[in-house]
Amino acid sequence: MNAPNRHLLGIEGMAPPTILEILDLAESYALLNRSGKTRRDLLRGRTLINLFFEDSTRTRTSFELAGKRLGADVINMAVSQSSVSKGETLVDTATTLNAMNCDLLVVRHNRSGAPALLAQKVDAAVINAGDGTHEHPTQALLDALTIRRRKGRLEGLVVAICGDIAHSRVARSNILLLTTMNCRVRVVGPPTLIPTAIENFGAEVFHDMRAGLAGADIVMALRVQKERMSGGSVPSAREYFAFYGLDAAKLAYAKPDALVMHPGPMNRGVEIDSAVADDPTRSLIREQVEMGVAVRMAVLDLLARGGI
Ligand code: ASP
Ligand code: CP
């Protein structure tokens, strides 16, 4: 058996038993969270630092909550007020935090590979909280947990991931995880927003929502990531919505019991219609956020016990 991984840098290379171990532990944390109990003994005396070079609402807050519910001392580094503004490099920043005996370093960065670079330089366990267009592993794990809780399984489900695939680390991590767990993954979007060779990841490509959603169990809408585009990848927001925005009419192409997901933050009226996003009978968006805390507790627990 391979030695456990000291860091969580991505889904790539993760085997089904590892994914299941994380999901099963996260399931127990989801139940614990609903009961209102905590396990403050588990990470007592450990320090977790959130180091976010890109904005975040869900990921940063849920890592903070997860760490606190397990008893860790949690520090949120305000990068914009740190010595990064004086020119200190990423590696120097991380090694400085490491010298304070930080145990868990949660990193978000706009450059793909930044967390992997830091993992080579620090003693702390590094968790990738989203790096460039590369990976967002805890998002894929929380999405899988949300799907499994509602559908009772992952295997054999048809999952349509729609929209800006090219700039989405969420899409990449989800494709890797869901294909590993034997889901049938489709990507649906305009040719300008679908990376070439995505089929090599095991996803089927569609440019038309009707064909791409036909028979889907899960429809996942993705945010149009304007901050990662150099311009010209999409026409106007109104035109984008007409062709690819997930509304009730397009959702009707999927299975009658298909469920809707979105990692957040949403651009309402661009990639998703409010009527669909806020429909409690179809939308899993709030549950995704809830499962985010549980998954992050499971990840911190496993890493603190030696690795994943
Ligand atoms: N919040 C997710 C991410 O950071 C998705 C998004 O921003 O659209 O990758
Ligand atoms: N889904 C997600 O990562 O959200 P944030 O960017 O708000 O953390």
Side-chain angles (χ1 to χ4, degrees), residues 210-223:
R210 183 187 285 269
L213 266 57
D217 298 284
I218 298 287
V219 184
M220 188 183 293
L222 296 176
R223 183 174 67 89

Side-chain angles (χ1 to χ4, degrees), residues 52 54-61 108 129 136 139 142 169-170 223 262-265 296:
F52 278 56
E54 248 188 26
D55 293 343
S56 168
T57 296
R58 283 147 281 266
T59 312
R60 204 187 64 157
T61 313
R108 171 172 286 191
H136 192 348
Q139 178 72 44
L142 76 88
R169 53 199 179 203
V170 174
R223 183 174 67 89
H262 191 303
R296 286 160 185 138

Side-chain angles (χ1 to χ4, degrees), residues 2-254:
N2 290 338
N5 211 321
R6 241 169 37 79
H7 309 283
L8 176 61
L9 301 175
I11 298 296
E12 193 167 7
M14 207 180 264
T18 308
I19 293 170
L20 288 175
E21 183 189 13
I22 301 171
L23 296 186
D24 291 346
L25 185 60
E27 177 72 45
S28 70
Y29 278 122
L31 297 176
L32 192 81
N33 287 341
R34 284 197 178 172
S35 77
K37 296 196 184 106
T38 53
R39 290 212 47 198
R40 296 200 192 278
D41 51 322
L42 218 79
L43 295 186
R44 188 175 297 138
R46 308 278 187 117
T47 304
L48 179 156
I49 300 185
N50 270 326
L51 182 59
F52 278 56
F53 290 85
E54 248 188 26
D55 293 343
S56 168
T57 296
R58 283 147 281 266
T59 312
R60 204 187 64 157
T61 313
S62 57
F63 268 114
E64 181 175 357
L65 256 178
K68 286 183 170 162
R69 285 194 184 156
L70 297 177
D73 295 320
V74 180
I75 292 165
N76 292 312
M77 265 268 298
V79 170
S80 61
Q81 291 156 33
S82 73
S83 289
V84 169
S85 66
K86 301 177 197 164
E88 190 157 45
T89 65
L90 169 67
V91 170
D92 285 341
T93 304
T95 46
T96 300
L97 299 176
N98 192 57
M100 298 178 198
N101 294 324
C102 147
D103 300 288
L104 296 145
L105 192 59
V106 181
V107 183
R108 171 172 286 191
H109 202 280
N110 62 356
R111 293 295 171 110
S112 300
L117 173 71
L118 294 187
Q120 294 169 21
K121 307 280 180 190
V122 298
D123 306 311
V126 175
I127 302 167
N128 180 2
D131 63 329
T133 57
H134 177 229
E135 281 227 40
H136 192 348
T138 54
Q139 178 72 44
L141 288 161
L142 76 88
D143 288 341
L145 180 63
T146 309
I147 296 171
R148 195 179 73 166
R149 283 174 68 93
R150 281 302 186 99
K151 293 287 183 190
R153 68 186 205 284
L154 293 171
E155 183 155 12
L157 294 178
V158 178
V159 181
I161 306 178
C162 308
D164 184 359
I165 312 294
H167 302 100
S168 176
R169 53 199 179 203
V170 174
R172 231 181 102 87
S173 289
N174 261 303
I175 293 167
L176 288 163
L177 191 153
L178 294 170
T179 53
T180 302
M181 299 312 288
N182 290 321
C183 289
R184 286 175 50 203
V185 181
R186 300 171 178 176
V187 293
V188 192
T192 47
L193 294 181
I194 305 257
T196 48
I198 191 85
E199 292 95 338
N200 297 346
F201 285 83
E204 244 185 304
V205 176
F206 293 84
H207 299 304
D208 172 64
M209 288 287 269
R210 183 187 285 269
L213 266 57
D217 298 284
I218 298 287
V219 184
M220 188 183 293
L222 296 176
R223 183 174 67 89
V224 178
Q225 304 213 357
K226 295 197 196 80
E227 76 274 25
R228 298 191 211 285
M229 290 179 195
S230 42
S233 300
V234 283
S236 68
R238 200 198 303 173
E239 225 177 331
Y240 185 86
F241 184 75
F243 284 97
Y244 294 102
L246 185 60
D247 56 11
K250 295 192 195 77
L251 183 58
Y253 303 144

